[in-house]
Amino acid sequence: ESDTSEAASSGVQDTSKETYGDQLIVAIQSDPSGLDPHMVTDKAAGICIENMYNTLFTYTEAYGEVAPSLAESYEVSEDELVYTLHLQEGVKFHSGNTMTSEDVKYSLERIMNGGARASQFDKVSSIETPDENTVVITLSSQYAPFLTYLANSLNAIVEKAVVEENGGSLANADAGSGPYKLEQWTEGSSLNLTAFPEYWEEGLPKVNSLVLKTIADATARATALRNGEIHMIIDAIDQEIAVLKDAEGVTMESVPGTFWEYVGMNCESEYLKDVKVRQAVANAVDRDAINTAVKMGNAEVLKEANIPSTHEYYGGDEVYPARDLEKAKALLKDAGYEEGELTLKITVCSDWQYQVDAAQMVKQQLAEAGIESEISALESGVYFDGLNQGDFDLTICGWSGFVDADEYLYNLFTTGGAYNQQKYSNPAVDELLEQGRSTLDKEERMAIYKEAQKVIAEDAPMAFLYMNNFTVAMRDNVKGYTVHPTATTIFLKDVYFE
């Protein structure tokens, strides 16, 4: 062993080894907030975690579909309340211990008792473990998105013993059974993972090590890819796409994505608690102009709510077919305000220049409707704290990775919802979204969500802007990767070099 490390450090490489194997270096846009699957909500952390952990079900290549994973098979009772999961046998955690039903029960309960996605398991009334390889989950009522949530890569199965050894926190630990295990995390720089030799899916992962490198600057990312210093950019932004389009040795793949952006309106702030003022903002915003200038015309403008046209539950009502300045002015007048009488604070995150650019356009567009505003750009930690505390009038932000219609709407728009930073509340919407969760008939469920999207768009807790395409840029010797609308990177385990 000492020989190989010596050779590597002196720069001598053994070229006889086939390229199958080496190190895959992937650039991510921001530093992960931590490595605890059940506690994080940021995308960078998600990318790191989903390569270290597995889930009971998993997304398939087809957007919206899920398939068994750690649960090898399952049955659902006739009343659709009891799910019996049969686990893969002999799955090893990175510690070397074997996964049992006890770890599964522990993981789900850990999410339910204070995890970031606890609300996804609201309807779980009990979890039983009749034997080491069987888990029986009983629901309090029928729950349409249940399997989709079991497939969410952050609703991962963790090893109970490791969580307990780490005092309950996995912020910088590894309790996974995934294709890669934690080697070292250097905050602000990179997460180094190595292939787990006892991984349960045969023949995977295909490379020996995976480095997730934080490169915040788009120009630096594009340069690193062109120079071959990195192999992939997950989620290339429009600026990079323009630069890499004709770059030698680089290929790009784009799919309609799930990353949508919006102008969020604090429904409890002085002026915006009036629905007419919110509607004035929603009509004054020129989505097409912002898409053209900020997204180079690559995004799909949202004319109703946030479910994309590629989704079978898409509403399709054009509540905001185009910018309507006259309507915005009339609504403002109707609300009792003269031009220039109200000033709103637009808070954005300075980490994402494209959202700062969008905010500057929104400021100008609102001014044309007689609404003054001031922009405050904050670094991400401060920004998200303020957002969660309701310390803003308007914001420009986005969400990504949603699959079920419930995921697009429930936590964001129900009264007191986990992600309802806008403090929006409408009892009619609450009722529709509760119905949507517990309706298993597809046609009925679609009708419920169609109505909910229309009401939400008209109430305007957000002015929905656009849905972005999702693009991965890679060196042309990188093969086997599935570019998925949710931006999930669970398919990195399939990557090999040609």
Side-chain angles (χ1 to χ4, degrees):
E1 216 173 314
S2 60
D3 286 348
T4 54
S5 59
E6 229 167 313
S9 62
S10 64
V12 180
Q13 300 267 320
D14 175 9
T15 50
S16 63
K17 199 170 144 238
E18 53 175 335
T19 49
Y20 168 88
D22 303 315
Q23 190 175 60
L24 177 63
I25 306 171
V26 178
I28 54 178
Q29 286 182 22
S30 53
D31 216 33
S33 63
L35 299 177
D36 191 328
H38 301 158
M39 302 305 165
V40 304
T41 56
D42 57 307
K43 192 154 129 193
I47 292 172
C48 297
I49 288 161
E50 64 191 5
N51 286 288
M52 294 163 55
Y53 288 84
N54 294 125
T55 45
L56 290 164
F57 286 75
T58 186
Y59 298 153
T60 69
E61 291 183 15
Y63 175 51
E65 277 181 14
V66 302
S69 182
L70 287 177
E72 187 177 22
S73 63
Y74 69 106
E75 290 107 42
V76 185
S77 62
E78 214 170 306
D79 60 7
E80 305 203 55
L81 295 178
V82 183
Y83 287 70
T84 304
L85 311 181
H86 304 286
L87 304 178
Q88 298 277 0
E89 293 187 24
V91 170
K92 290 267 196 282
F93 283 113
H94 298 157
S95 65
N97 297 326
T98 302
M99 177 188 79
T100 71
S101 55
E102 192 52 42
D103 295 296
V104 173
K105 176 181 162 80
Y106 175 80
S107 299
L108 296 178
E109 287 176 350
R110 186 170 185 261
I111 296 167
M112 289 157 66
N113 301 326
R117 281 156 294 281
S119 61
Q120 296 182 346
F121 295 93
D122 279 349
K123 294 190 184 292
V124 173
S125 60
S126 72
I127 303 172
E128 288 152 56
T129 52
D131 63 55
E132 278 195 358
N133 296 306
T134 312
V135 179
V136 180
I137 303 172
T138 305
L139 305 178
S140 55
S141 61
Q142 293 182 344
Y143 190 35
F146 187 48
L147 294 182
T148 308
Y149 289 148
L150 290 179
N152 182 315
S153 58
L154 292 172
N155 291 332
I157 301 308
V158 302
E159 183 179 358
K160 180 182 177 180
V162 173
V163 181
E164 288 173 348
E165 277 160 29
N166 283 281
S169 166
L170 293 174
N172 198 353
D174 179 353
S177 65
Y180 297 97
K181 60 179 185 164
L182 179 61
E183 185 75 21
Q184 193 185 358
W185 178 25
T186 311
E187 285 189 53
S189 167
S190 67
L191 181 83
N192 290 50
L193 304 174
T194 47
F196 179 43
E198 295 183 87
Y199 185 56
W200 61 277
E201 288 188 278
E202 212 178 320
L204 298 176
K206 294 191 174 175
V207 293
N208 293 331
S209 72
L210 173 63
V211 178
L212 296 163
K213 199 175 163 103
T214 304
I215 308 178
D217 182 71
T219 309
R221 277 196 302 272
T223 304
L225 188 69
R226 282 164 74 167
N227 296 345
E229 291 162 45
I230 60 172
H231 301 112
M232 287 173 89
I233 297 173
I234 296 292
D235 210 357
I237 64 170
D238 299 284
Q239 189 187 338
E240 292 162 287
I241 294 168
V243 171
L244 294 169
K245 223 176 25 226
D246 308 311
E248 204 181 326
V250 172
T251 57
M252 280 192 288
E253 195 180 329
S254 265
V255 294
T258 57
F259 170 41
W260 55 280
E261 292 172 89
Y262 61 93
V263 178
M265 308 192 215
N266 186 341
C267 300
E268 286 181 359
S269 82
E270 184 186 354
Y271 302 115
L272 293 164
K273 56 178 185 240
D274 185 337
V275 67
K276 284 177 180 157
V277 177
R278 298 200 301 270
Q279 289 168 339
V281 170
N283 280 287
V285 169
D286 190 338
R287 296 156 179 77
D288 291 293
I290 303 173
N291 179 31
T292 302
V294 178
K295 299 288 174 175
M296 301 183 186
N298 292 333
E300 180 189 10
V301 167
L302 295 168
K303 297 181 176 180
E304 185 179 25
N306 58 335
I307 296 185
S309 63
T310 48
H311 197 290
E312 55 180 353
Y313 284 72
Y314 172 60
D317 285 304
E318 298 201 351
V319 179
Y320 302 97
R323 182 189 198 199
D324 193 335
L325 205 49
E326 294 318 304
K327 190 172 178 182
K329 288 177 179 173
L331 282 159
L332 207 56
K333 208 170 166 143
D334 220 6
Y337 297 106
E338 293 305 314
E339 284 200 25
E341 199 182 321
L342 75 170
T343 302
L344 301 173
K345 189 172 85 174
I346 307 177
T347 309
V348 280
C349 180
S350 57
D351 296 23
W352 291 288
Q353 187 57 43
Y354 54 87
Q355 288 174 352
V356 178
D357 295 345
Q360 280 156 349
M361 291 186 73
V362 167
K363 175 185 166 84
Q364 195 187 330
Q365 291 165 3
L366 293 181
E368 289 166 16
I371 300 170
E372 297 302 311
S373 58
E374 291 155 6
I375 296 174
S376 160
L378 309 167
E379 66 84 25
S380 59
V382 180
Y383 169 74
F384 284 113
D385 284 347
L387 203 55
N388 292 325
Q389 283 154 22
D391 185 14
F392 68 99
D393 292 325
L394 299 177
T395 186
I396 292 186
C397 198
W399 288 93
S400 179
F402 296 161
V403 178
D404 193 87
D406 181 79
E407 205 170 0
Y408 277 99
L409 301 175
Y410 188 85
N411 279 324
L412 290 155
F413 301 111
T414 49
T415 304
Y419 310 149
N420 187 348
Q421 294 154 331
Q422 283 64 233
K423 309 273 193 290
Y424 169 65
S425 176
N426 178 339
V429 168
D430 291 348
E431 197 175 318
L432 284 168
L433 297 182
E434 283 300 341
Q435 277 176 351
R437 306 192 106 180
S438 51
T439 301
L440 299 176
D441 179 88
K442 198 161 167 182
E443 295 304 312
E444 270 177 63
R445 201 170 179 239
M446 278 183 177
I448 291 165
Y449 284 112
K450 218 170 147 59
E451 190 182 339
Q453 287 170 79
K454 193 166 195 238
V455 178
I456 291 166
E458 285 165 351
D459 278 349
M462 295 177 176
F464 300 94
L465 292 174
Y466 28 64
M467 181 67 70
N468 295 274
N469 281 335
F470 172 58
T471 303
V472 174
M474 28 198 165
R475 297 295 306 174
D476 54 17
N477 65 333
V478 172
K479 304 292 178 194
Y481 189 63
T482 301
V483 178
H484 197 268
T486 58
T488 181
T489 63
I490 55 174
F491 302 105
L492 281 174
K493 64 187 177 191
D494 304 317
V495 167
Y496 60 95
F497 294 107
E498 200 168 72

